[in-house]
Structures are given as structure tokens and as C-alpha cells.
Amino acid sequence: MLRTAALLIAFVVALAGARLASADDALLADVLHRLGENGGVRARYHERKTVSLLSAPIESAGTLYFDPPDHLARHVEGAGGAKMAVAGDLVVMRDATGEERLRIGESEVARGLAESFSVALRGDLSLLGSRYETEIQGDLASWRLRLVPRSRALARLVDRIVLEGSGGTLRRVELVEVGGDRTTTEFEDVATGVHFGPEERARIFLIDRAPARVDD
Amino acid sequence: MTDRAIRLATVSLLAFLAALAWLRLETTSSITHFLPSPEEAEQVALVRELVESDLSRTMLLRIGGEGDRAGAARALAGSLRELSDVARVQAGDDPAAIEALARVVFPRRIFLASSEPEREIPALVSKEALGARADALRDRLAGPLGILVARQAPGDPLDLVGRILARLRDARPASRAGEATVLVRTRPSAFDSERQTRLLDEISERFRLVAARHGPALRLEQSGVNRIAVATERSMRRDVQTTSIVSWAAVVAIFFGFFRSLRALVLAFLPPTIGIAFATCVAGALLGPVHGATLGFGLALVGVAIDYPIHLIVHHALAAKSVPARDSARGLRRPLVVSGATTALCFGVLSTSRFPGVEDMGSFAAIGILTALAATLFALPAFLPTEGSRLATPALRHTAAALGEALAGFARLRPLGFGVVAAACVVAALGIPRVDWSDDPAALSSVDPSLLEEDRRVRTSASGVDLDRFVVAQGETAEQALERNDAVYEALEDAAASGHLDGVRSLHAALFSESLQRRNLEAFRAERDLSRRIEDAFSERGFERGRFDAFTREVFEPSALPLRPEDLADTPLAGLVDATLVPVRGGFAVVTYLRGVRDAHAVAEAIEAIPGVRYLDQAEILRGVFEGFRRTTLRLLGVSALLVLAVLVFRYRSARRALLASLPALVAPAATLGVFGLAGFEANLLAVVSLLLVMGMGVDYGVFMVDACASAERFGATAVALLVSCLTSIAVFGVLALSTQPALRAIGLGTGIGLGVAFVLAVGTVALAGDREPA
């Protein structure tokens, strides 16, 4: 009898675990679906970087732009503010000293860093699953998604990326590096369904001038 | 020996020689065969070695258009690596290769920090510079790639790797956005057309398969010396095939017209064929690889040496009574031997040239002509019927009779003879000063302009360099060449700053000499309190103390040895090393390519004080070589003319008869050049070679005609034999004037015009000879 009870308890626990896993999958799918439904996004961000080399964190603020499926840009506030954009395979960084253009190619590290959270904004569940191990907690009103890189090359640098949000709105991203350094980005004034016109698109995502050369 | 035995022996010998030539002959198509001997011209020797080096084996492939360009480049590179004729392949964005580069460069960042360490390193580690560096590092840590910067910074707070990568950026072929590059180094020489043709076809086919998977709209553009060489050879071969068909059709028509017999045609070609086969065997045995141009020139001997069998066949066919062919040959022996010997002498003089290729042509021609002459005198009679009249057709007889009468009439018109010669001399005098000489090697071949444009576009957009001008630093060892190259870089950077050129593409960007690398290390070590100064400057800007010990430790205990060329073998810079560090006779050469040269003289001055270093303008050098070749050949033409005259004086024991016999040989080439000048035809060294052919055949015409003047019987036969020879030679050579290739066209025009003038001058000698004189 005791043995039967133990089996029954194990069965119920397993069933509860399975239901829990199913519920997580459903939440993840729902969250990504809502994120994907946002279309173009514009949001103000505030970023805080804790780097072991530095005695105090670095703080910056600016505006983030996302035009699905693969255009992402950050414009830092202030005079001479730097701009960074990812447009497909190309990463462009521009500041007061000049401009650099790099092609990501098949570099897992470069791709992982450039798309650290935009891959979630695309709402592509299968793509997210192929790049990261996923674990989601909470509910639709307040969710927390933890991503651990599957790529060994990226995993040597990045321990985890944690996204927090509500419904289809991303509120906070934290990237924790293997050495303990971390970058926390909080978003506010999030506008979704943004449509970028051709000129605006070129200006924001830094494809507004033909490059002289691109480094491979 | 019976005629049957001679025929059997002749055919057997021909078969043996042909088989031997086919089996043993090695050919080359390298331009270096027509450059002067290395001992004579150091610069040219260097150019010839560079032409044969890996520089000419490098191809650049660019993939553009809609689709996965990067993926296509990697797939194509992977596919090409399977080919045995590919020595090395690199796709521009291969992550493994880039990672290999990082692994090679980072541990050597101290060694590669600066081209002028004694000046720049103290400035790099000054208080102000360290403060600025700390601020820049802070900004980079805040940026999107901060995660990577944070890992590298403890070992490289001064961002020496950034300095090195900025230098390397100029050293690698760059891609435009939207294009991917693949660098290919081939195993066979760019001038090995057979293997290169197969390789180029493979590249096209493999790209087609790659594009099917990565984007059907992808397009491939290519650059490489091999493509130009293969395209040129294909074009020339097509031309030769076309002109050969026309040529053969004309020759068959001529022989059918006069002999109505294929037998006469075959017999006429027998001695020249034996001559060429024997000369080929001798060349193959004694000269090593024979240049294609030498063989081509040898084949042209058919048109020269065919004169001898034509004369024997015609005279035997028109003999007044049936005599054995051997008797006909005996009767013609003296004029045949004299004309053959003088013709061989004309070409043999070329073997004294300082150009190995030209020496070969001269030796080949002389051996071939003498062999053809011997075959005409001793073997051909065995193939001719005793009743020579069986070969004669009414056309041949009538033409002989008509020409005999006409020439007999000429013999009484001495002023006409003077007029012909004077007219030729006037044309020469007026036209030669107007001749437009072209010594540009590129003008000798006609390549599809779109091919040349694609090549130029791909190469110059990748590196922007002028491929014809470069600076070469030579040394007995690679280290010595690299040391000199370091000095070249400094000098050319100064020249660029002064506006004499836009820039350089130099191996120095990626690789210093070991001595310069060690100077970098010593320069850092010489800085007192380096560790404390870095700590102070960085901590003032918010950095934690003690975070940069790894860097100062590296200064005093380097984790790697200085960079060597072989260390870059598996990195994206391997192609740069292959293209610039070249083993040459006596050591190594490092080639620096130049961009936008505005003042070549200033560039040459900038580097002249550096030992073992030269400024080379390859196009100018080759132009000078070809000009030298042309002038040498013209001079040898003059020497040949004097030798021919001397031999004829010896033969005739009469200066007047010798001069008459040599008139066509002496005046026809000059008049031909005059026509070039008056008609505005561009003259090049191939035109000069054609003048040699004209001289060789002209002396035959003159000797035969002067000897015929002594005998009434021979007059008509000699005249029609000369006519058949002239028409046959024009059909063999003159048809080349229709070619699209400038080199072949020059030979066609030169020989076509020259032979016509030579024939007219030969007729003129009849008038000048007056009444017939005893031989």
C-alpha cells in the first residue's frame, strides 16, 4: 500500500510538473506573440553598466528603435552622442570621432551581442529557442524571461540575459556577463506600432550614406 | 640507293621525328622567354621573377547581388579547396580565420605597436596620452561592444591591438557593402593555359552550384592574370584556326590551278615538314621547354622553305625532255644551295640576340631551313616521276611561256628596272621616318575589353593600387628584406604626406622585421615607472587600481616571440604575405604596391638611399624591353643584309650580280617599312620579325632570278616557280592580316606587302641584268 501511495504521489507531482511546463510554454508563446505583434518600437532607455574595471558604474540614456525583423538602433543622448545600429548583417557605430562598419557574418559572438534582446522583440519563438535556453516565470501581467546562450562561444562571455515586461511591453533587460559585469537597461515611454518612413529609416538605422569599405 | 629505298627512308624518318617531337617536346608560354638574359638586366630579372611568382597566381573573386553573399563566399571557398590546382583559398569573413588572426596578433601587440617606436611609444605613454586613452576606454566600455572591450582591456589598456587593426585594415582586400570576397592562389603558373583553363571552368561551375543554393541572383566577378592569359590564348588560337582554314584553301587552290594534283601539294610540303620536325626535335633536346612563339615562328618556315621544292617541281615539270628528277635537282643545286644558305644565314643571325626567345627562333629557323633544303635536294627527287611533264598542266606551261616572254621583254627595258628600284627606295625614304612604332606589350594582343575592365574594377576597388608600379626591397634573407621594407614604408609615408602619391599597400602594415619588433619591446621597457603611470592615469578616470598588471607583465615577460611570416599562414593575412614576400634569386623580395602615384620621380627619390630597394614601373620596363628587342632585331636585319651580300659576292665573284641578286632581300624590307609609315599602320616588333621573313624569301627570289637570267630554258620556269612561291607564301602569311590579334595582323601585313614588293623587285632585277649573262 505504501508503495502504491508513493507511486501515486510521484505520478501527481510529475503531472503537476508537466502542467507547469505546459503553462510556461504557453506563457512564453503568448509573450513572444504579443512582443512580435508590436511591430516597430521606439522607447527611451536608461542604462547602467557595472564593470569590474571601473570603481563606479557607467550610466547613459537615449532612445532605442526597433524595426522588425532585424533593424535595431540605439542613439545615446547628449552632445556627440554615439549611435549604434544593426541592420541585418551589418553593424554600424558612429560617434564624434567617426564611423565604423562591421559585418557580423557567421560570428556567433558578434551576432549574440548585437541581437541580445532584439531576437525576443521579433517574437520568433523557434529562433529564440534555437539561440537560447529559455525559462519564463510570472504571468502575462508581469513576466520574467531568462535566456542562457546555447552557443559555446557566446556562453564564454554571457552568463544570462533576463528580460522583464508586462503583456507585450518590454520594461527591463539585464545582461550578466560571465565575469560578473552586468548591464541593466530600463525602458519607458514605449511606443509600439511605429512605422518608419524610408528617410527616417535610413537616418535612424545609419544606412543613410554609401560606405567606402566594410571590414569583414 | 634506289628511289624506293629513299622514299621509305624519308617517310620513316619523318614519322620518327614527328613521334619524337610529339612525345618529348615541352612548351612554355611565359613572357619571360622574351626578356633579356638575367645577367644583363637586373631590373628585368626582378620583373621576370615577380611575373613568375605567386603574385601572378593570385585571383580575387567578388560575389555581389541579391542573396546570401557571405554564405556563398564561404561555400565557394570550401568547394575550391578540394581542387588540386588550388594552393590556398580564403573567404573574406571566415570567422575561424579572423579568430586565428586575433590569436596571432594579440600576444604580439607589444612587438607590433609602432613603426617608429623610439618616437611614438614615449608619446603613447605620456601623462596626457594615458589620460586620453583612459577616457576613450571608458567610452568604449559604455558602448555596445563593451563586453568584448572589458575582456581585452586589462591586457591592453593602450589599445595597441586597435592601432594594429587600423594598420591591417589597409593591408587586406576590402569589400564594398553588399559584396563578399574570396582570395584564391593557384598552384600552376598563370601562363599554364591548359591547367588554368580547367581551373577557371571549375570556378565558374562551382559558383553556379553555390549560387543555386545561396541566391540565384548572385553574381561573380573575377580578377587574375590567368584569366587574361587564357583569354588571349583562346583568341589567338581561334584566329589561327580561322586563318589556317583560309590559308589552306588558298594554297590548295593555287596548286590545283597550276598542277591539278594533290600529289604536287603534298610533295611541296614534304621538305619543310621534315625541316620543322627535325628542328623541333633538336630544340626539344637542347633548349628545354620551347616557347609557343618559337614553334609558331617555326611553322611559318613552311612559307619560306616551300620555295625550294616548288622550284624543283616546276623546273622538273617544265623540263624540255624527260630526265630523272635527280638530274633536275642537280641542275638546280647551285641556286638552291645559295638561296637556302643565305636564308639560313638571315635567320641564324638572330641566334646572336640577347633575348633567349629570339635566339631560339633564330637557331630553330636556320636548322629547319637547312634541313628542308637537304630534303629537297636528296629526298624529294625520289618522289617525283621521271616524266616530269605528267605534273605540268596547260596553265603551268602557258604561264611559264607568258612570263618568260614578258621577262624577256623586261630585259630590254633597263630604265624600267631602275624605276622599280627607285620607286621602292623612295617609298622607303619617305615612309620610314613616319613609321609609328609601338613598343607597348599590351598592344600585341587584343583581349575582350569587358574582361580587362572587370579585372581592373575588381583589383582596384579591392586595394586601389596601381598594379604596374611598385617598390621592391630585396635582401639575402627574409629578415633583411623586411628591415628594408620597414624603411621603405617610412619613406613612402613621408612621400604620401608630401602629396607625391595617395598611399601604399605594404606588408609592413601586418609584419615588421624582427629587429623593429624588438625595438618596440625595448622602447616600452625603457619607460620608467610604466606600471605606476598607467595606474595613476586610469584611476584618476574612475578605473580600479591593479587592473592592468597583465599589460606591464607582458612588457617584461612576453608570452610570445616576435611575429614571423609563417605565423600568418592560417590568417586572413596569408594572401597579403603571399602577394608581397616573394622568394627570388639570391634571397627574398618584399613588394610594396602604390596608390595614385602623382610624381614617380619623387617616389623613386624617396627610396633611393635605401640599399637593395628599387622603384619599378613594370609597364615602362617591358616597354623598354620590347623596344630593345625591336631595335636589336632591326640591327640584326642590317647585319643579315650585309652578310647576305658578302655571301653572294663570294658566290658570283661579281659585285654587280651579287647586288642584283640581293636587291629583293635588301630593298623589300625597307620598302615594306616605308609602306607602313605612309599608310599609317602601327609597327611593332612582330612587324620587324616579318621583315626577316621577307628578307629570307627575298634573297631566294633574287638568286633564282639572277641565275635564270643565264639560261633561256630556265627563264619561264623560274618566273612561274617564283610566282607560285610568292602566291603560296602570301596565302600562308598574308592571310594573317585578317586576324583580330595585333601581333598576327602585323606579321600578315608585313609579309603580305613585303613579298609582293620582293616579287616586283625580282622582276626588276631582270631588267637591270639586261641581256642574259652566263652563270
Side-chain angles (χ1 to χ4, degrees), chain B residues 16-40:
Chain B
F16 172 74
L17 290 173
L20 194 64
W22 181 262
L23 290 171
R24 299 287 301 273
L25 182 69
E26 286 177 43
T27 59
T28 176
S29 61
S30 171
I31 190 176
T32 60
H33 219 65
F34 287 90
L35 298 179
S37 308
E39 294 76 21
E40 269 195 80

Side-chain angles (χ1 to χ4, degrees), chain A residues 47 49 51-60 74 83-84 89-91 93 99-110 113-114 154 156-158 175-179 181 211-216, chain B residues 68 70 74 92-93 95 98-99 137-151 153-154 168-181 462 539 541-545 547-548 595:
Chain A
E47 187 171 91
K49 271 197 175 183
V51 181
S52 61
L53 281 177
L54 296 167
S55 51
I58 305 174
E59 307 220 9
S60 63
R74 284 157 39 112
K83 294 178 183 176
M84 189 276 290
D89 205 33
L90 193 61
V91 175
M93 289 169 285
E99 179 179 291
E100 267 189 61
R101 288 177 176 249
L102 303 166
R103 192 171 296 135
I104 293 175
E106 285 293 305
S107 171
E108 292 169 349
V109 172
L113 293 175
L154 189 58
R156 279 198 287 269
L157 298 173
V158 176
L175 187 149
V176 182
E177 298 172 32
V178 165
D181 293 354
R213 63 177 285 161
V214 174
D215 290 319
D216 294 332
Chain B
D68 179 10
R74 279 189 299 279
D93 59 353
I98 293 172
E99 202 178 315
L137 179 57
R138 236 190 115 81
D139 289 341
R140 292 186 68 209
L141 286 169
L145 298 179
I147 185 172
L148 294 173
V149 173
R151 289 176 76 85
L168 290 177
R169 196 173 298 152
D170 286 339
R172 292 182 53 215
S175 311
R176 290 184 194 277
E179 290 180 341
T181 56
S539 65
R541 268 96 176 154
F543 285 86
E544 293 277 4
R545 282 194 170 269
R547 294 294 183 170
F548 303 107
R595 280 196 200 94

Side-chain angles (χ1 to χ4, degrees), chain A residues 14-106:
Chain A
L15 192 59
R19 276 197 192 143
L20 194 61
S22 298
D24 287 347
D25 291 346
L27 176 61
L28 178 62
D30 196 6
V31 165
L32 287 180
H33 175 72
R34 287 169 189 268
L35 286 172
E37 290 270 285
N38 284 335
V41 175
R42 181 177 54 241
R44 282 190 46 74
Y45 73 87
H46 179 265
E47 187 171 91
R48 182 185 170 90
K49 271 197 175 183
T50 306
V51 181
S52 61
L53 281 177
L54 296 167
S55 51
I58 305 174
E59 307 220 9
S60 63
T63 306
L64 179 122
Y65 305 87
F66 176 68
D67 187 15
D70 58 5
H71 280 49
L72 178 77
R74 284 157 39 112
H75 291 196
V76 181
E77 269 175 7
K83 294 178 183 176
M84 189 276 290
V86 179
D89 205 33
L90 193 61
V91 175
V92 184
M93 289 169 285
R94 186 184 294 171
D95 61 17
T97 63
E99 179 179 291
E100 267 189 61
R101 288 177 176 249
L102 303 166
R103 192 171 296 135
I104 293 175
E106 285 293 305

Side-chain angles (χ1 to χ4, degrees), chain B residues 300-660:
Chain B
L301 292 182
V302 168
V304 177
I306 203 172
D307 290 356
Y308 316 131
I310 285 176
H311 272 274
L312 177 57
I313 292 170
V314 168
H315 278 271
H316 184 59
L318 294 176
K321 54 183 187 297
S322 290
V323 293
R326 202 155 300 286
D327 289 349
S328 295
R330 199 174 296 119
L332 284 175
R333 185 175 297 167
R334 196 174 285 180
L336 282 176
V337 168
V338 171
S339 63
T342 47
T343 303
L345 190 62
C346 280
F347 292 110
V349 166
L350 286 182
S351 58
T352 62
S353 161
R354 59 195 177 97
F355 295 85
V358 177
E359 288 175 7
D360 293 349
M361 285 162 81
S363 309
F364 192 102
I367 293 170
I369 285 169
L370 292 174
T371 308
L373 178 66
T376 302
L377 289 172
F378 301 113
L380 183 59
F383 290 85
L384 294 174
T386 299
E387 268 202 53
S389 59
R390 283 163 48 191
L391 294 170
T393 62
L396 186 69
R397 289 198 193 87
H398 291 324
T399 307
L403 283 177
E405 275 184 39
L407 289 179
F410 269 142
R412 291 185 281 276
L413 294 174
R414 194 174 275 196
L416 183 63
F418 281 117
V420 165
V421 175
C425 292
V426 165
V427 166
L430 290 178
I432 286 177
R434 288 183 166 85
V435 171
D436 177 21
W437 289 107
S438 169
D439 295 312
D440 183 0
L444 286 179
S445 64
S446 170
V447 183
D448 182 358
S450 64
L451 189 73
L452 289 175
E453 174 55 26
E454 179 185 338
D455 190 89
R456 187 202 65 78
R457 193 172 52 239
V458 173
R459 278 206 184 267
T460 57
S461 69
S463 58
V465 297
D466 183 346
L467 295 173
D468 268 340
R469 301 183 197 193
F470 37 82
V471 171
V472 179
Q474 281 181 274
E476 290 177 9
T477 62
E479 171 63 14
Q480 188 180 51
L482 286 170
E483 281 178 0
R484 290 171 175 173
N485 190 55
D486 292 339
V488 165
Y489 182 82
E490 292 306 314
L492 292 180
E493 285 289 288
D494 290 341
S498 302
H500 300 311
L501 73 164
D502 288 343
V504 301
R505 182 170 178 234
S506 170
L507 181 59
H508 179 87
L511 178 63
F512 298 165
S513 64
E514 183 176 334
S515 61
L516 178 55
Q517 292 184 58
R518 290 201 179 277
R519 279 167 52 202
N520 272 270
L521 185 66
E522 292 311 315
F524 275 108
R525 287 177 176 176
E527 291 297 320
R528 287 171 51 191
D529 300 326
L530 179 62
S531 177
R532 184 190 56 77
R533 284 154 62 187
I534 292 173
E535 294 289 338
D536 287 349
F538 279 68
S539 65
E540 282 174 18
R541 268 96 176 154
F543 285 86
E544 293 277 4
R545 282 194 170 269
R547 294 294 183 170
F548 303 107
D549 292 344
F551 175 74
T552 46
R553 209 161 38 241
E554 188 68 24
V555 170
F556 292 97
E557 298 168 14
S559 57
L561 294 172
L563 188 65
R564 301 161 305 169
E566 53 268 33
D567 293 328
L568 296 170
D570 295 323
T571 74
L573 294 172
L576 173 67
V577 176
D578 288 345
T580 54
L581 180 60
V582 182
V584 294
R585 196 194 314 254
F588 289 85
V590 181
V591 181
T592 297
Y593 296 92
L594 311 176
R595 280 196 200 94
V597 174
R598 296 198 195 88
D599 186 342
H601 182 68
V603 171
E605 267 191 347
I607 49 116
E608 70 179 348
I610 308 171
V613 172
R614 299 169 212 281
Y615 168 75
L616 296 180
D617 184 331
Q618 187 168 240
E620 273 308 310
I621 288 171
L622 288 178
R623 206 169 284 127
V625 164
F626 276 59
E627 184 183 342
F629 176 25
R630 171 175 60 82
R631 289 184 188 280
T632 297
T633 309
L634 278 171
R635 196 169 55 246
L636 291 175
L637 203 63
V639 170
S640 295
L642 292 174
L643 286 173
V644 162
L645 190 57
V647 168
L648 291 177
V649 167
F650 179 77
R651 150 73 179 98
Y652 292 113
R653 300 285 198 270
S654 159
R656 180 172 173 274
R657 285 171 63 85
L659 198 57
L660 284 175

Side-chain angles (χ1 to χ4, degrees), chain B residues 108-390:
Chain B
R108 296 172 174 89
R109 59 201 179 284
I110 306 284
F111 291 116
L112 300 172
S114 168
S115 298
E116 296 177 80
E118 292 81 12
R119 185 177 66 82
E120 290 189 344
I121 287 169
L124 256 182
V125 298
S126 66
K127 187 176 177 187
E128 296 72 24
L130 287 175
R133 183 98 301 277
D135 289 334
L137 179 57
R138 236 190 115 81
D139 289 341
R140 292 186 68 209
L141 286 169
L145 298 179
I147 185 172
L148 294 173
V149 173
R151 289 176 76 85
Q152 188 179 299
D156 188 18
L158 307 184
D159 194 25
L160 299 180
V161 171
R163 287 171 61 91
I164 296 166
L165 290 179
R167 231 174 31 225
L168 290 177
R169 196 173 298 152
D170 286 339
R172 292 182 53 215
S175 311
R176 290 184 194 277
E179 290 180 341
T181 56
V182 179
L183 204 66
V184 178
R185 182 152 69 80
T186 69
R187 273 192 219 286
S189 160
F191 305 103
D192 183 343
S193 59
E194 192 182 331
R195 288 170 74 182
Q196 289 291 353
T197 301
R198 273 202 307 270
L199 178 60
L200 292 173
D201 289 343
E202 278 285 352
I203 290 173
S204 297
E205 175 59 19
R206 289 179 186 232
F207 174 73
R208 190 185 64 77
L209 295 173
V210 162
R213 290 197 308 272
H214 291 85
L218 290 173
R219 63 175 189 276
L220 178 69
E221 287 192 315
Q222 307 176 55
S223 165
V225 174
N226 54 347
R227 299 181 76 226
I228 309 296
V230 164
T232 303
E233 196 196 340
R234 263 188 199 149
S235 174
M236 277 206 172
R237 198 178 299 142
R238 235 182 352 253
D239 256 9
V240 167
Q241 281 169 359
T242 305
T243 54
S244 296
I245 291 170
V246 173
S247 199
W248 272 104
V251 168
V252 168
I254 291 166
F255 271 77
F256 257 87
F258 286 106
F259 299 104
R260 211 164 292 160
S261 160
L262 262 184
R263 183 182 182 183
L265 179 66
V266 170
L267 292 178
F269 275 90
L270 182 61
T273 307
I274 294 174
I276 290 167
F278 183 70
T280 305
C281 290
V282 171
L286 298 180
L287 303 176
V290 181
H291 199 277
T294 302
L295 270 183
F297 188 72
L299 290 173
L301 292 182
V302 168
V304 177
I306 203 172
D307 290 356
Y308 316 131
I310 285 176
H311 272 274
L312 177 57
I313 292 170
V314 168
H315 278 271
H316 184 59
L318 294 176
K321 54 183 187 297
S322 290
V323 293
R326 202 155 300 286
D327 289 349
S328 295
R330 199 174 296 119
L332 284 175
R333 185 175 297 167
R334 196 174 285 180
L336 282 176
V337 168
V338 171
S339 63
T342 47
T343 303
L345 190 62
C346 280
F347 292 110
V349 166
L350 286 182
S351 58
T352 62
S353 161
R354 59 195 177 97
F355 295 85
V358 177
E359 288 175 7
D360 293 349
M361 285 162 81
S363 309
F364 192 102
I367 293 170
I369 285 169
L370 292 174
T371 308
L373 178 66
T376 302
L377 289 172
F378 301 113
L380 183 59
F383 290 85
L384 294 174
T386 299
E387 268 202 53
S389 59
R390 283 163 48 191

Side-chain angles (χ1 to χ4, degrees), chain B residues 35-70:
Chain B
L35 298 179
S37 308
E39 294 76 21
E40 269 195 80
E42 242 181 291
Q43 273 197 351
V44 177
L46 185 58
V47 167
R48 69 188 277 161
E49 293 207 56
L50 292 176
V51 165
E52 285 287 290
S53 73
D54 287 345
L55 288 174
S56 66
R57 290 183 170 88
T58 304
M59 288 186 73
L60 203 56
L61 311 180
R62 302 179 75 89
I63 300 175
E66 289 295 317
D68 179 10
R69 293 172 293 275

